[in-house]
């Protein structure tokens, strides 16, 4: 394995807050690594150091000479006033010869990201659209090493699944930060965790990481418990031996303070704790939608939508970007007016709205002051009273953090504060619009546990498939054109159903096709690989690897600056390889999806 990146003794702190200290790790060719850590422990900082946009306090970052590195930042930068096409075309490497239409490549990649107007000015795009354009740009750059910071944010589920398949089949080396657990499990072959200011590396997928991490935490807890038992004996010795604190006992005194520090450590994963925050009472009438219709111009959002929502329902809303998911819940909340029909909401319903837009609090106020303005006394579970400071402590806002101005909060801090302000009002009907953005995996797990046990109603819009599977009882599938279908199951159930329906349609089409067509091998398309197809898939894997190696060798030659006597022959061969690779990779993908 070729080393692509080596990080040695890297240290980074902000003021008196140490993020990580003397961390060392490597990235080899073929690695697909996910980085996991709690918010505020240095994930994005580490990636910025690797990209060169930020400097470490000490240590070194060394990339293999000659490799191309693609970096996806959370805050992409584009040339103002220019079109998407003009911004993305320069990303495609110039191999010194004619390639197939570069503009077509840009349009194809943008289309995969849900951006169909390549001539649109970047000045008129939303933050989410710019993030998707940035992802398209970095993929077009054909990097050897791809470094991604939260690549699934602002993508709909269909695009996430496309990206998942793309990264799985591409032979690109990958280092990424993401909170999408299915994405981690299906793409990565190694997990790096930042914890306790150190790096812990786990070979295998996300499921393997969870098992081995639990073993590590259990071992650390055991060591801490043992240290606490020993500490009690040492404290007694320290009290009884004032004269022994010199000379030969000095080593024991030093060991006592080391032991005290070790015994004080806690490995509790609950970085927020909303468990005591209960919902208020909710009656039997929740809401009824009667023939609700809504259009934006020519775009139909709802067409004669009728539904009676029951007590304790937990429903997920899924659909492509722009289909109207956020508009749907804003109509329920009364924030957007329907064109016709009506919503009848029960008298006991108390909505809690966690919006995609985020906090609506004054940027110039301190956290504690803004929360105190909402409520000076926070009552949970009907009897327990908290001051705003005590309540914020449960959401990982220390007294020092509470004195921060809202304008200075990080994305993760804003999300936690938003969650705190929603739950402090004791809602019995939670409406969550993309709640998983900027929340770390640990916080997501705690939120999922809270929502599963929530004695109220929940509507959630999310592109996080794991989150949906953990919470919802059924789905509203918004198919466009105002059509909403109610599916009885979670997201994985729905995807399995879609695959079954597709296979059934193909089988019926094959059965009703003319005899001449049915005799063709492509018409039947069995759901599983035949022996012959499996052998073909194995051969394709070897062929694709060989062609990719040859392609990279030619690229190195083209970029070397050396005089090439038969440049036209090699350029023609390079073009031929690209064509063959496209065909073989498409066939590989077609076969691999049938495994």
């Amino acid at each position: 394995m070729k080393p692509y990146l080596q990080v040695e003794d890297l240290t980074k702190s902000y003021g008196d807050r140490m993020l990580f200290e003397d961390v060392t790790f490597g990235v080899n060719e073929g690695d697909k690594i996910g980085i996991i850590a709690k918010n505020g422990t240095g994930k994005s900082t580490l990636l910025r150091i690797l990209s060169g946009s930020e400097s470490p306090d000490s240590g070194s970052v060394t990339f293999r000479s000659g490799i191309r590195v693609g970096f996806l930042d959370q805050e992409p930068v584009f040339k103002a006033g220019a079109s998407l096409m003009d911004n993305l075309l320069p990303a495609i490497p110039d191999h010194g010869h004619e390639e197939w239409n570069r503009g077509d490549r840009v349009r194809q990649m943008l289309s995969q990201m849900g951006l169909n107007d390549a001539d649109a000015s970047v000045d008129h795009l939303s933050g989410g659209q710019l993030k998707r354009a940035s992802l398209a740009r970095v993929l077009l750059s054909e990097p050897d090493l791809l470094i991604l910071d939260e690549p699934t944010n602002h993508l709909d589920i269909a695009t996430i699944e496309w990206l998942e398949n793309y990264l799985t089949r591409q032979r690109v080396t990958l280092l990424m930060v993401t909170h999408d657990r299915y994405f981690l499990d299906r793409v990565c072959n190694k997990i790096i965790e930042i914890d306790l200011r150190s790096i812990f590396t786990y070979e295998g997928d996300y499921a393997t990481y969870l098992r081995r991490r639990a073993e590590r935490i259990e071992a650390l807890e055991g060591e801490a418990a043992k240290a606490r038992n020993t500490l009690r004996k040492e404290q007694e010795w320290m009290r009884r031996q004032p004269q022994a604190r010199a000379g030969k006992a000095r080593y024991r005194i030093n060991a006592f303070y080391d032991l005290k520090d070790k015994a004080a450590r806690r490995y509790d994963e609950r970085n927020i704790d909303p468990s005591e925050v209960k919902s208020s009472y909710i009656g039997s009438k929740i809401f009824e939608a009667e023939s609700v219709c809504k259009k934006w111009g020519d775009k139909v959002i709802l067409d004669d939508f009728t539904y009676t929502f029951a007590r304790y329902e937990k429903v997920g809303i899924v659909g492509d970007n722009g289909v109207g998911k956020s508009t749907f819940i804003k109509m329920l909340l009364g924030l957007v007016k329907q064109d016709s029909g009506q919503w009848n909401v029960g008298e006991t319903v108390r909505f809690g709205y966690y919006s995609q837009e985020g906090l609506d609090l004054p940027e110039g106020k301190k956290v504690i002051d803004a929360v105190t303005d909402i409520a000076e006394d926070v009552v949970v579970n009907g009897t327990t009273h908290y001051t705003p400071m005590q309540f914020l402590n449960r959401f990982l806002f220390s007294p020092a953090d509470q004195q921060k101005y809202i304008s200075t909060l990080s994305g993760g801090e804003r999300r936690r504060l938003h969650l705190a302000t929603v739950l402090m009002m004791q809602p019995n009907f939670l409406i969550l619009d993309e709640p998983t953005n900027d929340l770390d995996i640990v916080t997501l797990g705690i939120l999922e546990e809270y929502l599963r046990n929530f004695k109220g109603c929940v509507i959630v819009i999310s592109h996080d498939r794991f989150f949906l599977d953990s919470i919802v009882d059924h789905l509203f599938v918004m198919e466009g054109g105002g059509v909403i279908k109610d599916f009885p199951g979670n997201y994985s159930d729905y995807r399995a159903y879609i695959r079954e329906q597709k296979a059934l349609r193909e089988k019926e089409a094959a059965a009703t096709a003319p005899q001449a067509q049915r005799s063709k091998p492509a018409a039947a398309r069995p759901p599983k690989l035949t022996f012959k197809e499996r052998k073909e898939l194995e051969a394709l894997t070897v062929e694709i690897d060989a062609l990719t190696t040859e392609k990279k060798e030619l690229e190195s030659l083209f970029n070397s600056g050396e005089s090439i006597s038969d440049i036209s022959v090699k350029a023609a061969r390079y073009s031929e390889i690209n064509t063959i690779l496209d065909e073989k990779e498409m066939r590989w993908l077609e076969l691999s999806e049938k495994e």
Side-chain angles (χ1 to χ4, degrees), residues 310-356:
R311 182 194 278 181
Y312 307 141
E313 271 195 58
K314 294 182 172 69
V315 59
I317 301 180
V318 298
D320 293 339
N321 281 343
V323 77
K325 301 186 294 293
S326 294
T327 302
F328 175 91
I329 60 176
K330 287 178 180 177
M331 281 193 286
L332 172 59
L333 290 163
L335 301 175
V336 172
K337 182 69 176 175
Q338 66 269 22
D339 297 335
S340 61
Q342 58 184 345
W343 304 89
N344 298 314
V345 180
E347 293 180 359
T348 62
V349 171
R350 184 186 294 179
F351 287 119
Y353 178 36
Y354 187 94
S355 69
Q356 186 173 178

Side-chain angles (χ1 to χ4, degrees), residues 289-295 302-305 331 337-343:
E290 297 182 3
S291 303
V292 178
C293 297
K294 180 66 183 178
K295 287 184 179 180
L302 291 182
D303 183 16
D304 196 29
F305 176 70
M331 281 193 286
K337 182 69 176 175
Q338 66 269 22
D339 297 335
S340 61
Q342 58 184 345
W343 304 89

Side-chain angles (χ1 to χ4, degrees), residues 41 75 132 141-142 150 179 219 317 369 376 522 589:
T41 54
E75 301 295 334
R132 283 180 272 145
S141 70
E142 301 176 14
E150 297 290 4
H179 62 255
I317 301 180
D369 295 334
E376 294 186 0
L589 182 61

Side-chain angles (χ1 to χ4, degrees), residues 378-397:
V378 184
V379 183
V380 301
N381 203 17
T383 56
T384 306
H385 291 251
Y386 288 109
T387 66
M389 180 176 286
Q390 290 171 326
F391 190 76
L392 283 168
N393 272 324
R394 302 184 74 84
F395 289 82
L396 204 65
F397 286 96

